[in-house]
Amino acid sequence: MGFDREKFDEIKAAFTIDDDALRKIADDFRADMCAGLAGKEGATLRMLRSYAGLPSGKEHGSFLALDFGGTNVRAQRILLKGGGEYEVLSRVAKPLTLPGVYDYVSADATAEEMFDFLAGIIDEAIDGNRETKYLLGHTFSFPSQQTNLNNAKLIVWTKEFATQGVEGKVVNDLLKEALARRGMTNVTPVAVINDTVAVLLAAAYKHEHTYIGSIYATGQNTCYYEEFADGSEPPTVINMESGGFGNLPFSKYDDILDRESEQPGAQRLEKMVSGRYLGTLYGAALADLLSADGVYPFSSIELSEIITDAYLDRHAAGAVIEAKTGMTFTAAERALLQELATAIIVRSARIVAATYVAIIQHRMGENELENQFVAVDGSVYEKVPLVAHHLRGALDTLLLDEAVNVKIILENTGSALGAALAAAMTERK
């Protein structure tokens, strides 16, 4: 063969987590949750309070939702009908940057310019209406410091954003000022949540007994409903920033990726499981196997293509790998290289499942596990082969007979619907 089989087995083993190791991840994650909730030094989970509860399912009325999670921004007018039913009455979507025309995310752009643009999108969504009173919920997916449901202060821009005058400011204050400049005093921003919380609210509106919401995509994050058994705080959804969990069995390829990343030492769980990094992990392992310098540049989409090739000669998988490496492989070698890609994907799903189990066990305490839903949104869960299957399998392994009480559901309407629900929930007396 073109490579050492013993070395291959060692590399594949580096991405294999057995059931005992999986249980330890769940136990360690649960311990870190408790440390983070208590604000203890050394906790890697941030456990941020969202100040949002769960919807009752009876929310009614027309509300506005602003979905601001990247360069494409959406404003929607949503009619909540109760009982998990809703209707999108209008939808406007525009990019924050249009080459040669405008760029509201560059360092040359100001907060006033950006938020005036957002106000214009909202204005289109309500057809210029200045009479009807609207409450607006805002899904804002950037690192923020929050002291109540409406007060989210941007800590630092991510995702290549550099707009001046937004960091350190309360984003809904900037939005209110922009709405006022446009004469839109009938629109009142009342809630800010992140995309993970939005997923949970949207799913809980449709499915009673939903307590966990998760993004499993380019990045990874999970939130859950915390009821504080000791009564120390009011119940609220906790944004865990779970991608930052750091007590994990790292392989040398995880360490290579981490050292070369934008923020070494940060987001260690995310770097093991999310779509942004899975291809890079494969490229690092493959380079080691083939005694090549550096890391071959695979994407998670290419990893999916390798895994889905079901033909005996693995010709399609081989074509993807050979295009990156410049080497040719036998059918037997291609099958092994597919096995390595599969191991990386399976490890990702099992780790994420272990975090869900930790949350479920934290919430249940000494009680029996009740029937409940875990809501997941994101391209890795929805589209990457084997992920959903192995995530379910790991839940079954860790929860044993009680696993039947946990159902995983895909929730991909979260960002807008969750924002509308957050606005509606502020009307509770």
Side-chain angles (χ1 to χ4, degrees), residues 211-237:
Y211 306 112
I212 297 173
S214 187
I215 301 288
Y216 190 3
T218 304
Q220 200 282 325
N221 188 21
T222 301
C223 69
Y224 75 101
Y225 186 56
E226 172 62 63
E227 297 180 83
F228 296 100
D230 62 1
S232 59
E233 298 181 45
T236 187
V237 176

Side-chain angles (χ1 to χ4, degrees), residues 228-415:
F228 296 100
D230 62 1
S232 59
E233 298 181 45
T236 187
V237 176
I238 299 286
N239 167 21
M240 307 179 75
E241 293 297 332
S242 59
F245 180 61
N247 190 2
L248 291 157
F250 303 119
S251 71
K252 73 175 186 179
Y253 309 105
D254 297 306
D255 291 334
I256 289 169
L257 185 153
D258 181 58
R259 284 197 303 270
E260 299 300 319
S261 68
E262 296 164 359
Q263 293 182 299
Q267 297 300 101
R268 293 305 304 268
L269 182 143
E270 186 170 78
K271 289 170 182 172
M272 295 175 78
V273 306
S274 75
R276 181 177 182 182
Y277 301 106
L278 293 173
T280 304
L281 287 170
Y282 184 67
L286 192 58
D288 186 28
L289 177 65
L290 301 177
S291 300
D293 294 329
V295 174
Y296 292 118
F298 286 87
S299 68
S300 60
I301 293 173
E302 288 165 332
L303 211 57
S304 297
E305 291 173 357
I306 293 168
I307 291 169
T308 53
D309 183 2
Y311 288 98
L312 287 176
D313 66 359
R314 302 297 191 271
H315 178 76
V320 175
I321 297 165
E322 289 164 9
K324 297 290 184 181
T325 64
M327 299 174 64
T328 57
F329 303 96
T330 67
E333 289 170 342
R334 292 194 291 264
L336 290 174
L337 294 176
Q338 185 184 60
E339 280 185 29
L340 178 59
T342 298
I344 291 170
I345 294 298
V346 171
R347 185 186 72 155
S348 169
R350 284 169 64 81
I351 290 173
V352 172
T355 69
Y356 295 167
V357 168
I359 301 166
I360 291 166
Q361 292 177 334
H362 168 81
R363 279 186 40 82
M364 65 188 282
E366 300 301 319
N367 301 315
E368 291 186 3
L369 180 57
E370 63 178 330
N371 287 321
Q372 60 189 272
F373 297 95
V374 175
V376 187
D377 183 22
S379 55
V380 172
Y381 177 75
E382 185 175 5
K383 296 179 180 178
V384 174
L386 305 178
V387 166
H389 173 75
H390 284 279
L391 196 157
R392 177 73 251 178
L395 283 182
D396 294 343
T397 295
L398 295 177
L399 292 174
L400 302 174
D401 292 343
E402 292 186 301
V404 69
N405 296 325
V406 179
K407 292 182 173 59
I408 305 173
I409 53 174
L410 176 66
E411 175 50 66
N412 52 18
T413 64
S415 289

